[in-house]
Amino acid sequence: MKLWYGRFQSNVNEAADSFNSSLSFDKRLYACDIAGSKAHCTMLGECNIIPDEDAKLIVKTLDEILNDINNGKCEIKDAEDIHSFVENELVSRIGAIGKKLHTGRSRNDQVALDIRLYLRDAADDIVALLKQFASTLTDIAENNLNTVMPAFTHLQKAQPTTLAHHMAAYAEMLLRDISRFEETKTRINVMPLGSGACTSTPYPINRQRVAELLNFPVITANSMDAVSDRDFVLDFLYSASVAMMHLSRLSEEIIIWSSDDYKYIELSDGYSTGSSIMPQKKNPDMNELIRGKTGRVYGDLMSLLTVMKGIPLAYDKDMQEDKECVFDAYDTLKASLIVINGLMKEAKFNVTRLRECTDGGFTSATECADYLVGKGVPFRDAHAIVGRLVIYCIENGKTMQSLTLDEYKKFGDFDEGIYEAIKAETAIMRRTAPGAPSPDSMKAEIKQLRKQLK
Ligand code: ARG
């Protein structure tokens, strides 16, 4: 039966009924809905708004319903939404007393509470997974302090660095993702119940008590705002979008690095797929899917931003559209984090290949210029000299390492020391500033990462 049947004289149209129903997706909120109802009912009893023994019976029955749903004994079906379902089930079990539960409450503040309870746990869940993945990347960094590889800008080889430096860069992004979700959680963690449909309720309710029972540090300040605010859902979706963007960038690199031309990394069989026609194929589908699914999560954020932009205060049914966005973004980010964490744990970096590729593309050109600066040449002039040296190498099929000293001397004030100066290892060792790739700088960064991941 509809919660609002009294005002209606005939049944709602079948198509309209199914269009209106949110049960197929908001059933995920059942445990939150029951937790919220228990707290509300306990408070109603304590404040003598309903008889204490009625409150106790309702709470006990709600617990039984929760158990039965968890054990598969009670199937969630045949209701407009999860709130209606729980209430109908309660009334079917204890009759008239169950009808007292909704005293001083509206589905508008009820759903606002449910989604906050749900997202509070979801944010914790995502933070835990982000921490795991950041630790995995930090482990890879720690094991590769001396694994030399090229750093790129514009996907052109730029300067020598280490795999530790590259992986720790992603760990830093994940740390910021963690803090974004933690901050989002402080805005989620506000208790809206007691706001009623939009102007609260005349019953002598105790909102602080409900907050205490549900472990919320604060309550919402304005009942209109409380039932119509979904910015905390948008915060969650934005945080999820940024995290997906980071996973997508890493995935893009994994895809490039696992190609035959790069061969920087080999994915384990467990995290690769094959081709139905080309027997040789081992494809990085997981990373492609993460890159692709990033689009969905952005879509979830854009959907809800658009849903919210034109609706007047207070509650409007448009807001029911928040749920599929948030469930989809949460599921997608969660699955992506689990998969990419396992994938990176099992991936093998080709250390020899990374080292070989470091000298290509004149990655030592900056070192060569800095070497001349050390001899008193102004940097801009040194830059131009090395630019001409690079042209000479290209035209004569040489590298900076294979040039003879006589050849070097034609361009400027070079001596034997140039060969040591242009080694990738030298370039890395000399970069000792905080945040730089020298092993000592990286050890310090890794120590900080570990501290923040605790
Ligand atoms: N299913 C609704 C939602 O998700 C619950 C609130 C319904 N409130 C109402 N006044 N119809 O937003």
Side-chain angles (χ1 to χ4, degrees), residues 22 26 81 83 107-108 111 230 315 317 319-320 323:
S22 53
D26 70 10
D81 54 26
H83 327 295
R107 275 185 298 166
N108 297 353
V111 74
R230 292 293 181 272
Y315 177 85
K317 197 59 171 268
M319 281 151 64
Q320 177 165 288
K323 280 163 216 69

Side-chain angles (χ1 to χ4, degrees), residues 17-204:
D17 194 30
S18 112
F19 190 66
N20 181 50
S21 173
S22 53
L23 190 68
S24 64
F25 49 87
D26 70 10
K27 61 180 169 196
R28 283 175 71 153
L29 297 173
Y30 75 90
C32 301
D33 196 73
I34 291 173
S37 287
K38 281 172 58 187
H40 175 67
C41 185
T42 302
M43 179 276 291
L44 290 179
E46 287 174 1
C47 295
N48 295 315
I49 298 168
I50 66 172
D52 202 40
E53 62 275 17
D54 290 355
K56 292 211 165 85
L57 179 63
I58 293 173
V59 168
K60 182 175 150 269
T61 312
L62 286 169
D63 273 331
E64 288 162 10
I65 295 173
L66 178 66
N67 263 328
D68 290 350
I69 297 174
N70 285 339
N71 301 331
K73 281 194 214 140
C74 172
E75 193 190 339
I76 302 177
K77 58 173 191 198
D78 301 334
E80 181 182 336
D81 54 26
I82 188 61
H83 327 295
S84 313
F85 174 81
V86 173
E87 193 174 321
N88 290 343
E89 186 63 28
L90 181 70
V91 173
S92 83
R93 292 186 186 208
I94 56 173
I97 293 173
K99 295 181 182 173
K100 296 184 181 178
L101 167 63
H102 210 55
T103 313
R105 187 177 70 168
S106 158
R107 275 185 298 166
N108 297 353
D109 56 350
Q110 189 178 356
V111 74
L113 173 73
D114 290 5
I115 195 82
R116 283 175 186 273
L117 284 170
Y118 188 88
L119 282 182
R120 193 166 74 168
D121 288 347
D124 283 345
D125 202 17
I126 294 294
V127 164
L129 290 169
L130 284 165
K131 282 189 177 172
Q132 273 175 26
F133 186 40
S135 315
T136 299
L137 295 182
T138 307
D139 291 344
I140 299 176
E142 192 156 49
N143 294 331
N144 288 281
L145 292 171
N146 295 301
T147 303
V148 176
M149 70 176 285
F152 294 81
T153 63
H154 315 270
L155 201 53
Q156 306 281 327
K157 285 180 187 170
Q159 294 172 339
T161 188
T162 64
L163 184 55
H165 196 216
H166 202 120
M167 288 297 115
Y170 280 103
E172 300 288 349
M173 295 175 221
L174 294 172
L175 267 191
R176 291 193 295 279
D177 291 338
I178 290 165
S179 76
R180 238 182 307 279
F181 272 102
E182 279 170 347
E183 207 185 294
T184 294
K185 194 180 154 188
T186 64
R187 281 192 288 273
I188 293 171
N189 213 2
V190 186
M191 208 292 295
L193 220 58
S195 300
C198 52
T199 64
S200 184
T201 169
Y203 293 102

Side-chain angles (χ1 to χ4, degrees), residues 294-308:
T294 302
R296 290 168 72 120
V297 177
Y298 290 3
D300 294 326
L301 172 62
M302 285 317 296
S303 293
L304 190 61
L305 276 171
T306 312
V307 165
M308 295 304 294

Side-chain angles (χ1 to χ4, degrees), residues 192-213:
L193 220 58
S195 300
C198 52
T199 64
S200 184
T201 169
Y203 293 102
I205 53 171
N206 184 347
R207 299 191 59 211
Q208 291 294 355
R209 176 66 178 140
V210 177
E212 186 187 297
L213 287 166

